[in-house]
Amino acid sequence: MFHFIYKTYSLSGFYYYGRHSTLNIDDGYMGSGKWIRSIKDKSKLKRDIVLFCESHEELLKHEKEYISKHIDDPKCMNFNENSIGFSSINNPNKLLK
């Protein structure tokens, strides 16, 4: 299982930090935040993995740190400082994609 913090960004400089747990590191996941969902053409987005984590608990901790560090940046599209996204680790169907 891969656990990582990612940064999804657009060419215009807007970006979003999130977390993801998956068996397939190349599953195409870009995020599930409001900003990501609002973009119709996801091909205009890029995703970089910024940190791998050993556990889900570590993943939650580091996601909160990254978001807290960037939340006041006007280009940051995270709308909440807390780690509140759903967890694919609890949904085996999401892991198969």
Side-chain angles (χ1 to χ4, degrees):
M1 176 74 63
F2 297 100
H3 304 285
F4 57 87
I5 303 299
Y6 63 88
K7 178 181 181 181
T8 297
Y9 57 95
S10 66
L11 295 176
S12 60
F14 291 98
Y15 62 91
Y16 173 88
Y17 280 99
R19 71 178 188 271
H20 190 47
S21 295
T22 184
L23 295 172
N24 177 5
I25 202 162
D26 295 318
D27 62 7
Y29 186 77
M30 298 299 253
S32 62
K34 289 180 185 180
W35 177 67
I36 304 278
R37 289 191 320 260
S38 74
I39 297 173
K40 304 274 187 258
D41 184 0
K42 304 288 191 274
S43 70
K44 301 207 183 266
L45 296 174
K46 303 287 184 207
R47 183 194 77 186
D48 290 337
I49 295 173
V50 296
L51 179 71
F52 284 97
C53 299
E54 293 293 320
S55 68
H56 186 69
E57 292 75 23
E58 183 185 352
L59 187 65
L60 293 173
K61 179 184 130 198
H62 287 297
E63 180 190 31
K64 185 171 176 115
E65 289 171 356
Y66 272 89
I67 293 171
S68 293
K69 184 177 177 181
H70 296 275
I71 195 75
D72 292 327
D73 181 348
K75 296 269 187 180
C76 179
M77 294 291 102
N78 290 85
F79 294 113
N80 192 310
E81 196 168 334
N82 293 317
S83 182
I84 60 169
F86 71 89
S87 175
S88 59
I89 200 164
N90 295 322
N91 185 346
N93 294 325
K94 286 294 211 182
L95 296 176
L96 299 175
K97 291 186 176 181

